[in-house]
Amino acid sequence: VELVPAEMKLLLLLLLMEQTATQQRGLFPAILNLASNAVISSNATCGEPEPEVYCKLVEHVPGRRIKNPHCPKCDANSILSKERHPITNAIDGTNQWWQSPSIKNGRQFHWITITLDLKQIFQVAYIIIKAANSPRPGNWILERSLDGVTFDPWQFYAISDSECLTRYNITPRLGPPTYKSDTEVICTSYYSRLNPLEHGEIHTSLINGRPSADDLNPDLLNFTSARYIRLRLQRIRTLNADLMTLSARDPREIDPIVTRRYYYSIKDISVGGMCICYGHAQSCPLDPVTKVATHTCSHVHTCIVKRVKKTHLKTVSLTSLLNLHGVRQGGGVCIDCQQNTFGINCEMCRDGFYRHAEVSPYSDSPCVECDCDLRGSNSNKDEFSDCVCHEGFTGRRCDRCAFGYRDFPQCLRCECDLSGSINTDPCSPCTCKMNVMGAHCDLCKPGFYNLQEKNPLGCTDCFCFGVSDVCESSTWSTAQVTHTCIQGNGKALRLSPLFLLFLSPLSERFVAMAMVPQQFVDDQTGVKVNRDDLLSVLTDMTSLRVRVHLNASAEGPIR
C-alpha cells in the first residue's frame, strides 16, 4: 500500500561556477549566501488563515517501525516558532522550514509557486534540491527571469516519462540529463524514483554537459543569467495515499489522519553566482548591506542603444539591485569599468558614447564615441533611437531641420498654420482655406469662428439665432454646468443636487438627464417637489435655463 509524504523539505543550492573568471568573461564576488539577503515569496503557506494538522509519511508506511509518531500543528499566528512555517524560514539559515497548506484543504494546493529575488543578475551554474522527510517532489518547473515579469523555463521535471509528454508536451530525455544545445530546455523523470523516501536530492547543472561548457558563448551566458528564480510545484508525491487505505481487506482500517494531508515544504535556500561585468572590470566586491545607488541611476544615461528593441544589456541596467521597495541595495558591484562603460554591471556607456544594437555587451569595445552634430544636439543619444536633438532638429546626427522648421542650422519654425491652410508643408507659401484669412492662415474671416484643422473650410459660420451675424471664437476652453432651471405655469424648479459636467474642446459630449421629481426643488424655497409639481411645469414649460461658469484661464474655442 502506498502512502503519501507528510513532509517534504527541499534544499535549493545555486552553486558557484567552477570555470575561471577569464574563461567566463565575468567575475566572482566573495563567497556569500546570497539567499540570506534575497527577497523570497510564496503564494500559499500552511496555517493561513486557520491552523491545521499534518502528519509525516514515514510514520504511516507499513513495515516501518514507528518512532514517536505524532501529527504536529501548523499555525501561522502561533506564538511558538515551531508551529509557524513562513516562506522566510527557507532562507534564515536555521532548521525551520516553509510549508504549504495540505491538499486536504483542496487539490489546488498541488500547485504552489515559490519566487526568489536575488536583487541582482547572476549567472547560475547549479541547482540542487534536497527533500527532507519525504520523497522527492513530483511534477515541477524550474524557471528564471531578468525582470520578475517574464519567466522562461530552465528545466521540467516529471513523475514519469509519460508525464513529460502529456503534461509539458516535451519528449522526455531518458537516463541522466544531457543537452544537445546551449539553450535546450529538457524534461526529465530521472529523479522520479521513490527511493530514498527521505533526503533524496535533485542535481541540475545548467552549464555542464552543454556544448559550450568549456568555452562559454553569449547564448549560454544569457541562458544562465537570472535575477529571479521560480519553482512552480505542480504535483505532490502522494504515493496514491489520498486514494487508498491501509488495508484493502478491512475498510475500518482507513487512516483518517494521513489521508489527503500532504503538503510541500522547503528549507535552506542558498544562492551563489558570478557577477556580470561583461569583461570590462577586474573586481566586483559583494556588499549585501551598503547601498550602491550612486553607481546606477544617479548618472546620466546617454548613448546607450541605437534603433533597437529592448536588449539584454538594457534589461540588466533596469533591474539590477532593485528590491521590492524600489531601493537599490546590495549585490556585487563591478569596480572601475573600462572600455568607456559604467554601471553596476558595466552594462552602460558613459557620456559621449553609445552601443550599437549589433554589438554584444561582451565586445572588447562595446561603446563608440557619439558623432552627433553639436549644432542640433547635446552630443548625447537616447536609449532607443538616435542623437538627442534640440527642438526643430532631426536626423540620426541631428544635422537637418525637422518637419515644420527651415534654414539649417538655425531651424526656425515655419509660420503657416496647417489648420487654416490647404498646405501639407508649413514651410511652403501659405494658401488659406475658404473661411480663413491672414498672412499665416491663422484667423477666421468675419462671420466665422472656431478654426479647426479637420474642417475643410477652416472656420464655422456664426449662429446667433438671427440677431447677429458677427461672432468670434471664445478663448475659454472648459465649462462647468452648475445650475439647471425650468419654468412653467407660474412655477420655477431647479435641479438639486447640482449636476456637474466638465466640457472639453477635444471631444463632444452628449448628456441625457431623466426629468424626475426627486431631482428638483422649488427655486425659491428649496423644498423638494412631488410628481404633480413637476408635471404642472412640464405641461406648460415656458423656459429652460442652464447656468454655466466658464474657466477664463484656459485657451481654445468652445461652441
Side-chain angles (χ1 to χ4, degrees):
V1 177
E2 293 182 325
L3 291 176
V4 74
E7 179 176 353
M8 179 171 61
K9 299 178 181 179
L10 306 179
L11 176 62
L12 173 62
L13 296 175
L14 279 68
L15 303 181
L16 295 176
M17 305 169 76
E18 295 179 349
Q19 288 80 5
T20 66
T22 301
Q23 288 176 316
Q24 299 175 53
R25 307 186 70 178
L27 299 171
F28 289 107
I31 296 176
L32 182 70
N33 183 355
L34 298 178
S36 63
N37 191 47
V39 177
I40 190 170
S41 61
S42 67
N43 61 351
T45 298
C46 70
E48 292 181 358
E50 296 179 354
E52 59 176 292
V53 176
Y54 62 94
C55 305
K56 295 176 62 176
L57 167 68
V58 294
E59 294 177 352
H60 298 268
V61 175
R64 290 180 65 105
R65 187 165 57 91
I66 299 177
K67 297 180 179 180
N68 302 319
H70 69 286
C71 291
K73 182 175 68 172
C74 187
D75 183 358
N77 299 313
S78 173
I79 61 174
L80 302 177
S81 60
K82 65 179 182 179
E83 295 183 351
R84 298 192 308 269
H85 301 283
I87 190 61
T88 52
N89 281 0
I91 58 175
D92 66 359
T94 70
N95 290 326
Q96 300 180 101
W97 67 90
W98 166 84
Q99 183 173 309
S100 74
S102 302
I103 60 172
K104 70 169 185 176
N105 298 318
R107 296 187 63 85
Q108 70 271 20
F109 293 112
H110 273 288
W111 291 269
I112 299 292
T113 299
I114 299 171
T115 305
L116 191 67
D117 178 3
L118 305 181
K119 299 186 181 179
Q120 180 177 343
I121 295 178
F122 286 88
Q123 286 166 338
V124 180
Y126 298 97
I127 298 174
I128 300 175
I129 294 185
K130 182 177 180 180
N133 302 333
S134 71
R136 287 166 289 196
N139 296 345
W140 65 285
I141 308 173
L142 178 66
E143 297 177 317
R144 69 182 180 101
S145 174
L146 296 175
D147 58 10
V149 177
T150 302
F151 282 83
D152 297 311
W154 258 335
Q155 194 151 297
F156 294 87
Y157 305 82
I159 291 178
S160 65
D161 292 339
S162 62
E163 286 282 288
C164 284
L165 289 169
T166 58
R167 178 81 61 164
Y168 302 121
N169 195 29
I170 297 178
T171 301
R173 186 59 44 86
L174 303 180
T178 58
Y179 309 94
K180 297 178 181 179
S181 71
D182 290 330
T183 59
E184 183 182 21
V185 178
I186 70 168
C187 179
T188 178
S189 62
Y190 183 72
Y191 301 100
S192 64
R193 295 187 298 273
L194 295 180
N195 290 325
L197 285 176
E198 297 180 300
H199 311 304
E201 296 185 0
I202 296 176
H203 292 251
T204 300
S205 173
L206 300 172
I207 298 290
N208 293 341
R210 297 185 184 270
S212 301
D214 295 330
D215 186 14
L216 303 185
N217 63 17
D219 288 341
L220 187 52
L221 289 170
N222 288 336
F223 182 75
T224 57
S225 297
R227 168 180 168 175
Y228 299 88
I229 298 171
R230 189 165 72 179
L231 280 69
R232 281 205 290 148
L233 307 172
Q234 298 183 329
R235 185 176 175 184
I236 296 174
R237 292 301 300 266
T238 65
L239 312 187
N240 295 329
D242 52 338
L243 304 176
M244 302 174 64
T245 70
L246 289 180
S247 173
R249 293 171 299 180
D250 189 348
R252 292 175 298 178
E253 293 187 16
I254 294 176
D255 190 339
I257 296 179
V258 177
T259 303
R260 300 187 65 81
R261 295 183 187 271
Y262 323 119
Y263 58 91
Y264 288 111
S265 62
I266 186 171
K267 62 167 294 186
D268 296 342
I269 297 181
S270 299
V271 178
M274 185 184 71
C275 293
I276 297 179
C277 296
Y278 300 105
H280 306 307
Q282 299 300 315
S283 64
C284 62
L286 186 62
D287 187 345
V289 178
T290 304
K291 295 183 179 179
V292 292
T294 54
H295 291 269
T296 53
C297 292
S298 62
H299 198 290
V300 178
H301 294 181
T302 58
C303 304
I304 299 177
V305 183
K306 186 179 71 169
R307 286 201 194 95
V308 290
K309 60 185 178 181
K310 289 184 178 179
T311 65
H312 174 66
L313 179 63
K314 180 176 181 294
T315 303
V316 172
S317 67
L318 291 178
T319 60
S320 293
L321 304 177
L322 271 180
N323 63 23
L324 296 181
H325 305 289
V327 177
R328 295 181 179 268
Q329 183 175 12
V333 180
C334 300
I335 301 299
D336 193 21
C337 296
Q338 301 297 309
Q339 291 83 42
N340 299 309
T341 63
F342 87 99
I344 295 256
N345 305 107
C346 300
E347 77 278 12
M348 294 177 286
C349 294
R350 65 181 180 86
D351 284 343
F353 293 81
Y354 73 102
R355 184 174 71 90
H356 283 280
E358 301 81 9
V359 177
S360 168
Y362 292 97
S363 170
D364 292 335
S365 300
C367 301
V368 297
E369 191 170 1
C370 298
D371 57 353
C372 304
D373 192 316
L374 297 181
R375 294 174 294 182
S377 74
N378 59 0
S379 187
N380 293 336
K381 291 178 184 283
D382 64 24
E383 290 184 288
F384 299 106
S385 56
D386 305 308
C387 298
V388 181
C389 300
H390 297 313
E391 181 180 1
F393 295 83
T394 191
R396 187 187 68 81
R397 300 179 58 244
C398 302
D399 55 356
R400 56 188 173 88
C401 292
F403 179 77
Y405 295 82
R406 56 181 173 83
D407 299 336
F408 182 85
Q410 287 78 26
C411 288
L412 304 173
R413 183 186 294 275
C414 299
E415 298 174 332
C416 184
D417 191 333
L418 294 182
S419 297
S421 70
I422 61 176
N423 292 39
T424 57
D425 183 357
C427 297
S428 61
C430 216
T431 302
C432 297
K433 294 178 181 179
M434 182 176 295
N435 297 336
V436 182
M437 65 179 187
H440 308 304
C441 298
D442 55 353
L443 300 173
C444 290
K445 291 180 179 179
F448 301 91
Y449 78 107
N450 189 35
L451 178 62
Q452 292 289 322
E453 183 176 3
K454 294 183 179 179
N455 189 338
L457 300 179
C459 298
T460 304
D461 299 63
C462 292
F463 178 74
C464 300
F465 295 93
V467 299
S468 174
D469 58 359
V470 178
C471 67
E472 62 181 11
S473 298
S474 170
T475 58
W476 297 329
S477 62
T478 60
Q480 184 180 7
V481 180
T482 61
H483 189 92
T484 300
C485 183
I486 55 176
Q487 289 182 324
N489 277 330
K491 297 180 180 179
L493 308 180
R494 60 180 170 86
L495 195 65
S496 179
L498 300 180
F499 182 78
L500 300 180
L501 172 64
F502 294 92
L503 305 178
S504 169
L506 302 178
S507 62
E508 294 183 350
R509 290 287 305 274
F510 297 92
V511 179
M513 185 179 69
M515 303 291 283
V516 294
Q518 293 87 346
Q519 294 184 340
F520 290 91
V521 297
D522 186 279
D523 190 40
Q524 298 295 326
T525 65
V527 177
K528 286 188 173 294
V529 301
N530 56 34
R531 180 173 179 272
D532 292 340
D533 294 330
L534 178 60
L535 291 177
S536 175
V537 173
L538 294 178
T539 53
D540 189 21
M541 187 170 65
T542 57
S543 68
L544 171 63
R545 294 179 295 157
V546 178
R547 182 178 300 169
V548 178
H549 293 279
L550 295 176
N551 178 7
S553 64
E555 297 180 355
I558 182 171
R559 291 181 286 175

